[in-house]
Amino acid sequence: MFTKTNGAAVQGIDALMIKIEVSVEQGFGFCIVGLPDTAVKESYQRILSAVKMCGIEFPRRKVVVNMSPADVKKEGSAYDLPLAIAVLAADEKVTADRLERFMLMGELSLDGSLQPIKGVLPMAIKAREHGLDGIIVPKANVMEAAVVNNLNVYGADNILEVIGFFNNTYDLQPTVVDTREMFRRQVDHFDFDFSEVKGQEIVKRAFEVACAGGHNILLIGSPGSGKSMMAKRLPSILPPLTLQEALETTKIHSVAGKLKQGSMLMTQRPFRSPHHTISPVALVGGGSYPTPGEISLAHNGILFLDEFPEFSRQVLEVMRQPLEDRHITISRAKYTVDYPAGFMLVASMNPCPCGYYNHPTKQCICAPGAVQHYLNRISGPLLDRIDLQVEVAPVEFDDISSTAPAESSAAIRERVIRAREIQTRRYEGIKGVHCNAQMTTALMHQYAQPDAAGLEKLKDAMTRFNMSARAYDRILRVARTIADLEGSDRVLTYHIQEATATSTAATGQSAGCSDNYLKKYAQINYDETYFRQKPRIDKRRQLL
């Protein structure tokens, strides 16, 4: 007898429908065709044991399985369930009337129980796209698949329940999830808050600007100044995920197998912090069986690289293209996979190998030339792609011992959301541009052109520090974000001044600037106390 059922193969972060055709005929043997890998070929032994443990006799005839389309590589153990059910249906032990109206995916244990698999969310989306009646997955994956609306999602503990479902002897109940309500309840929960951070008003302001415009940021400071501690609180001031962004982010983590068992939709922006020993493949993705890398797992969130210069040069340089294009294409001899990589880069580093260059109380003990050599580990083209470069000073005792409450993440987040809403309206209808960090040159000329005085300040800064054309662009992008935080339609002089000061810490030091970069910028009439004021527009203008 001949029968069909449906499965799915994951390609990138999307799924492809796989038709599983089974023919049971006279003869002996078990044959699978259609580019199965070793794990798929080994499914015969798992299916044989699982069926016998359930008290069902496996067909003692020739079984031929075709997995279509035949030119797509079939990988992994998730095809165990559809193969087993299709074989039993072809042997007339399972009723095949409804088999083609469902997608089945799951790994079988030798006792017939179903084990969780990866990539269930894109599979469920593909099943809905093809108008199927439902999808049957292991119970551990059912909440993940149930995120997809307008599709019946069934979770089964073992193969006997699936057999009973098609034979109408067991009633599997569909799992229903109110995706929007669940998303609304969990979107504002965070473990860390900026109210716990004492002092560091300059860095907090830089973080606010970075999150408001989606800018990459580099923190330079001595050990113990709070770089990593503050970076971990960044997700609490980023705008909340939209439902579409949450689905896209969850798909990536589902394909990579990073979702916790029983989890549903991701409601918080991802925060990925790989160790500096990471390989280029682990960072960008790929491998023998292509999986998303850290830059894709950080999509719609933050990629935090602590001890930035300790990463290998090859690892850092492979990020240059994804930072601009916001996606990564993995090309191999037999396949090409495209992964999204729209992340916000947050990096931190010491100013020198010993960590105390320019420290107010401790002396640097590095050898002559060691500081410049250490800073040169970060290439100029990569630095040019980091819009904000901020020096983190040690926290003073008065700030540490203060009992006055610091500004909460919720208050900062409100300002960030308002600025993002302005950008959303501004770039509405422009494909691929959602925030100021993604502005093209043409958009900068249209929306970020400074006034004459601001242009003169920018010219002075670029001459002093020998900045590149890309540095000019990033200062304008940051200035546009600062103006959005104030609700200003125009980019004014003091917006340019703040953007210049917060965009040149690393550039200034690499150019041999031994003084504190904010003090250096005092020479172009920039008032350092600007950062320490509450965000009141009229007060800022008085200071400047």
Side-chain angles (χ1 to χ4, degrees):
M1 185 177 172
F2 174 81
T3 191
K4 292 181 182 180
T5 190
N6 301 300
V10 174
Q11 292 187 327
I13 63 169
D14 297 313
L16 174 70
M17 181 73 81
I18 300 296
K19 288 286 185 180
I20 298 173
E21 305 170 338
V22 177
S23 174
V24 176
E25 53 194 49
Q26 294 296 325
F28 298 94
F30 187 91
C31 176
I32 302 179
V33 297
L35 285 183
D37 72 346
T38 303
V40 178
K41 293 177 180 177
E42 290 175 347
S43 65
Y44 171 70
Q45 298 297 334
R46 293 191 293 273
I47 294 171
L48 182 63
S49 175
V51 169
K52 286 184 177 179
M53 290 293 288
C54 293
I56 302 173
E57 185 179 1
F58 195 81
R60 296 185 178 181
R61 291 183 290 171
K62 183 178 180 180
V63 178
V64 179
V65 179
N66 177 44
M67 306 180 76
S68 175
D71 60 345
V72 175
K73 186 75 171 177
K74 319 302 185 307
E75 300 170 342
S77 57
Y79 296 101
D80 290 357
L81 180 61
L83 286 173
I85 296 298
V87 169
L88 294 177
D91 197 40
E92 300 183 347
K93 293 184 174 65
V94 171
T95 304
D97 295 347
R98 298 181 294 157
L99 205 54
E100 289 190 60
R101 300 300 307 159
F102 286 84
M103 179 182 287
L104 291 78
M105 293 298 287
E107 177 185 336
L108 283 173
S109 294
L110 296 183
D111 62 355
S113 59
L114 290 173
Q115 300 300 314
I117 58 175
K118 299 188 293 186
V120 167
L121 180 56
M123 293 174 186
I125 293 173
K126 181 58 65 173
R128 184 180 63 181
E129 287 178 1
H130 280 259
L132 300 183
D133 291 344
I135 181 173
I136 301 176
V137 296
K139 189 151 269 183
N141 297 117
V142 70
M143 297 303 292
E144 177 187 341
V147 168
V148 181
N149 297 322
N150 303 318
L151 178 73
N152 291 323
V153 177
Y154 301 90
D157 287 318
N158 53 66
I159 191 174
L160 269 179
E161 293 180 0
V162 182
I163 293 171
F165 174 75
F166 286 108
N167 287 340
N168 295 316
T169 60
Y170 186 85
D171 187 21
L172 280 179
Q173 292 297 322
T175 301
V176 179
V177 173
D178 189 339
T179 306
R180 295 184 182 276
E181 176 61 23
M182 179 273 299
F183 183 74
R184 186 190 63 79
R185 287 200 312 266
Q186 300 183 14
V187 73
D188 293 323
H189 174 74
F190 299 100
D191 296 327
F192 302 104
D193 196 281
F194 269 100
S195 61
E196 303 159 352
V197 179
K198 302 294 185 180
Q200 299 293 13
E201 299 303 323
I202 294 176
V203 185
K204 289 180 184 179
R205 170 64 176 175
F207 278 161
E208 180 181 341
V209 173
C211 292
H215 303 286
N216 303 319
I217 183 169
L218 172 64
L219 307 175
I220 305 175
S222 58
S225 56
K227 302 184 297 294
S228 301
M229 181 266 291
M230 287 186 286
K232 291 178 181 178
R233 285 157 174 77
L234 266 177
S236 67
I237 64 173
L238 280 169
L241 284 168
T242 65
L243 190 56
Q244 184 61 37
E245 287 177 332
L247 281 169
E248 186 179 29
T249 305
T250 307
K251 281 172 63 177
I252 298 171
H253 286 251
S254 174
V255 168
K258 301 296 183 181
L259 288 180
K260 295 180 181 179
Q261 186 171 326
S263 63
M264 300 177 356
L265 198 65
M266 292 184 65
T267 57
Q268 295 183 9
R269 294 186 181 273
F271 182 90
R272 305 294 300 181
S273 180
H275 192 260
H276 62 257
T277 56
I278 189 173
S279 69
V281 172
L283 185 70
V284 302
S288 300
Y289 301 99
T291 56
E294 288 293 331
I295 63 173
S296 296
L297 293 172
H299 181 63
N300 290 324
I302 292 172
L303 178 67
F304 177 51
L305 302 184
D306 202 5
E307 304 298 339
F308 201 35
E310 300 302 328
F311 287 80
S312 74
R313 185 66 171 250
Q314 185 182 7
V315 167
L316 295 180
E317 294 306 304
V318 298
M319 286 197 303
R320 283 162 55 176
Q321 179 262 333
L323 279 172
E324 287 203 351
D325 296 344
R326 309 185 78 83
H327 70 88
I328 181 73
T329 301
I330 308 298
S331 298
R332 298 292 185 266
K334 296 182 179 180
Y335 64 86
T336 298
V337 179
D338 190 78
Y339 292 121
F343 60 93
M344 176 179 159
L345 175 64
V346 180
S348 68
M349 60 181 285
N350 295 329
C352 66
C354 77
Y356 296 107
Y357 180 71
N358 267 346
H359 195 279
T361 58
K362 296 184 179 181
Q363 187 173 359
C364 175
I365 60 172
C366 296
V371 176
Q372 189 66 37
H373 177 74
Y374 186 75
L375 293 173
N376 286 342
R377 293 185 185 181
I378 314 299
S379 69
L382 183 57
L383 277 178
D384 276 346
R385 289 167 169 83
I386 302 177
D387 292 344
L388 292 163
Q389 301 167 13
V390 183
E391 186 175 10
V392 184
V395 185
E396 298 178 358
F397 177 79
D398 291 341
D399 290 330
I400 297 175
S401 59
S402 174
T403 57
E407 190 174 28
S408 68
S409 292
I412 302 173
R413 195 185 198 195
E414 285 182 8
R415 297 195 294 270
V416 170
I417 292 173
R418 285 198 298 269
R420 283 290 184 101
E421 288 173 348
I422 293 172
Q423 296 164 49
T424 300
R425 291 192 297 270
R426 177 186 300 137
Y427 305 124
E428 188 175 8
I430 302 176
K431 185 177 180 181
V433 180
H434 307 287
C435 58
N436 290 332
Q438 301 168 354
M439 275 199 297
T440 62
T441 303
L443 291 174
M444 279 186 283
H445 286 310
Q446 185 176 355
Y447 297 114
Q449 194 65 27
D451 56 19
L455 202 59
E456 189 63 31
K457 297 290 185 184
L458 182 53
K459 178 183 177 181
D460 190 8
M462 293 195 68
T463 303
R464 285 177 185 273
F465 292 102
N466 193 26
M467 297 182 195
S468 67
R470 188 178 279 117
Y472 173 86
D473 289 346
R474 75 168 186 254
I475 290 172
L476 289 184
R477 286 194 295 264
V478 174
R480 179 64 265 175
T481 300
I482 295 169
D484 288 339
L485 282 167
E486 291 189 349
S488 173
D489 293 334
R490 298 173 55 212
V491 176
L492 304 177
T493 304
Y494 60 92
H495 300 149
I496 291 291
Q497 289 177 303
E498 181 178 358
T500 305
T502 53
S503 300
T504 51
T507 305
Q509 290 191 5
S510 296
C513 175
S514 59
D515 297 329
N516 181 286
Y517 79 102
L518 283 176
K519 294 179 181 178
K520 190 75 174 177
Y521 268 89
Q523 299 176 15
I524 56 171
N525 300 323
Y526 184 82
D527 192 338
E528 181 179 347
T529 59
Y530 170 88
F531 284 100
R532 301 186 181 275
Q533 306 305 313
K534 294 296 182 181
R536 299 191 186 99
I537 297 175
D538 53 347
K539 183 64 175 176
R540 289 176 179 175
R541 290 173 178 167
Q542 292 174 16
L543 289 169
L544 294 167

